[in-house]
Amino acid sequence: PRARALGRDPQTGEVLLASRAGEGAESGRQVISTLPFVPRELIAALMEEAGVHRYIDSPDVVLRADSGLIALHTAAGGRYLLRLPRAATVRNALTGEALGQGSEVVLDLHAPSTTLLEVE
């Protein structure tokens, strides 16, 4: 009842997406969805609003990251801009090849491929 509707089904009026302020240990904004699939564009907009760091903007790349490793998978291939939260040296974690240095690194990914990067 304390949530604000962000989106409704145009035919039934049912709330599909809602937002509310968090409480206690869950301070911050909470977004609740009744959709079985939330469109990527909506998730990207919520991430942007929340200030989440996004390493790659492309929907063609599945990315997993921690403080020292980044795993990238793409079926499409192509040239992508990797934005890091801080300046670092990026290497291919399997071969040791240096791929770039700084807070932005351009990567050429083959199709299909999975690439494991080391961030130093």
Side-chain angles (χ1 to χ4, degrees):
R2 295 184 311 272
R4 179 174 54 98
L6 297 176
R8 295 182 181 272
D9 183 300
Q11 293 162 342
T12 67
E14 175 187 358
V15 173
L16 301 175
L17 189 69
S19 173
R20 72 178 186 146
E23 300 171 5
E26 297 177 356
S27 62
R29 181 176 179 192
Q30 298 173 343
V31 177
I32 301 111
S33 173
T34 61
L35 298 169
F37 172 77
V38 179
R40 177 196 179 282
E41 295 80 13
L42 177 58
I43 292 173
L46 291 169
M47 289 170 62
E48 183 75 26
E49 182 181 310
V52 172
H53 179 82
R54 295 180 58 201
Y55 287 82
I56 290 182
D57 287 329
S58 175
D60 296 335
V61 179
V62 176
L63 183 142
R64 301 288 185 262
D66 68 16
S67 62
L69 294 173
I70 299 174
L72 305 164
H73 177 77
T74 182
R79 183 165 276 201
Y80 299 95
L81 179 63
L82 176 69
R83 286 187 311 278
L84 301 169
R86 64 193 179 332
T89 299
V90 177
R91 297 183 182 281
N92 180 311
L94 301 178
T95 67
E97 174 190 4
L99 301 175
Q101 189 170 1
S103 60
E104 294 186 345
V105 176
V106 175
L107 300 172
D108 290 312
L109 302 177
H110 300 284
S113 68
T114 299
T115 306
L116 184 60
L117 304 174
E118 184 177 19
V119 180
E120 301 173 337

